[in-house]
Amino acid sequence: MGSQTELGRMAGAFDEMLDAVEGAEGRAVAAEARVRDFVLEAAHELRTPLAGVQASAEALLLGRPEREEQERLLAGVVRESQRAGRLADDLLLMARIDRGVELERRPVDLHDLAEDVAASAAGRPGAAVTVGTAHGPALVEADPDRVTQVLTNLVDNARRAAGPDGRVHLDVGPGGRVVVADDGPGVPRADRERIFERLVRLDEARSRDRGGAGLGLPIARGLARAHGGELRLLDTGTGAAFELTLP
């Protein structure tokens, strides 16, 4: 049947429609599988701190421990409760990002935000944090709280990677660009995009001990994209360098 006839064109259009439906169905099935996996992983992450809370509470109720042991168990309840609360907050924020997080944009200087994040980090033990100031003001229209959240996440990750004797540097450039670099071991090439997936941790034991659940980088990238910007890992050869760009 000729494709130029009316019937032929109708048949071609019908085939295209079927292909589109099959493609949409496949994407829907894949999306459903990703959601199911994410829910299972999130439930697993929540079980860990909740199990800790339950074990400590049961020991307090049934064991009649001495005062020193009571204080240790109570501290464990507080610590694990905080871990569960942080994870719940991250999951809620991830859901808001998926739906379209609301931003309160106003003119902000990225230098000021970077300096504030560095000053906050200076009050905690760990790698030293410095800020480059050679480029002058870097004004953007952005939500300062959300950008601060992104930079804080990147700096905290970099300080953990660099270790107590390492260094972390924030380089603020014109055009809404901030690079957070550390002198740690870096990220294996095969994992450079994987680290932005939800609930992915390259160092399972260390991340869990520190309360991380593998949502920090996905949230940071989600907030960057909500601004119309991007967050990516640069190929620097040494350490790790994350580049945040805002329009």
Side-chain angles (χ1 to χ4, degrees):
M1 181 185 301
S3 61
Q4 299 305 314
T5 67
E6 183 175 351
L7 190 57
R9 288 193 295 270
M10 184 180 299
F14 188 69
D15 286 341
E16 292 177 2
M17 183 182 69
L18 285 178
D19 290 341
V21 169
E22 290 176 354
E25 182 181 5
R27 290 191 295 272
V29 170
E32 182 181 355
R34 288 195 299 270
V35 170
R36 184 168 56 250
D37 291 343
F38 176 66
V39 170
L40 289 173
E41 288 290 339
H44 175 73
E45 291 294 336
L46 276 171
R47 283 185 61 187
T48 302
L50 292 178
V53 170
Q54 181 178 350
S56 296
E58 289 177 350
L60 285 167
L61 287 173
L62 304 176
R64 300 182 183 278
E66 298 294 330
R67 181 179 180 84
E68 183 176 343
E69 180 65 7
Q70 286 183 12
E71 293 177 352
R72 187 188 70 80
L73 291 171
L74 287 172
V77 169
V78 172
R79 181 177 61 253
E80 296 302 324
S81 298
Q82 290 174 338
R83 285 182 61 190
R86 285 195 301 270
L87 178 56
D89 289 342
D90 286 348
L91 290 171
L92 287 171
L93 179 54
M94 200 77 250
R96 293 191 187 103
I97 291 173
D98 289 341
R99 291 199 310 266
V101 64
E102 295 183 4
L103 301 175
E104 298 182 6
R105 297 175 185 263
R106 62 176 184 267
V108 294
D109 190 336
L110 291 177
H111 272 296
D112 293 341
L113 299 186
E115 291 284 2
D116 290 344
V117 171
S120 176
R124 305 190 303 273
V129 182
T130 56
V131 180
T133 57
H135 301 292
L139 297 175
V140 295
E141 286 277 342
D143 185 325
D145 292 336
R146 294 306 190 186
V147 175
T148 297
Q149 187 173 3
V150 173
L151 294 178
T152 299
N153 174 278
L154 295 177
V155 168
D156 287 347
N157 283 350
R159 296 182 82 218
R160 285 195 293 269
D165 298 323
R167 300 189 65 82
V168 177
H169 182 72
L170 286 79
D171 184 59
V172 184
R177 178 178 181 269
V178 183
V179 176
V180 180
D182 64 68
D183 58 1
V187 179
R189 184 174 296 276
D191 294 319
R192 290 184 177 178
E193 276 302 310
R194 181 171 170 264
I195 57 173
F196 292 105
E197 297 175 7
R198 301 173 187 188
L199 298 172
V200 167
R201 291 171 301 198
L202 302 187
D203 188 339
E204 293 285 331
R206 182 179 66 181
S207 296
R208 183 169 278 119
D209 289 343
R210 292 178 179 271
L215 285 173
L217 286 175
I219 286 174
R221 174 175 271 186
L223 292 174
R225 290 178 173 177
H227 281 84
E230 185 57 277
L231 175 66
R232 64 191 185 101
L233 178 63
L234 301 178
D235 188 1
T236 58
T238 58
F242 289 86
E243 179 190 58
L244 169 66
T245 53
L246 298 172

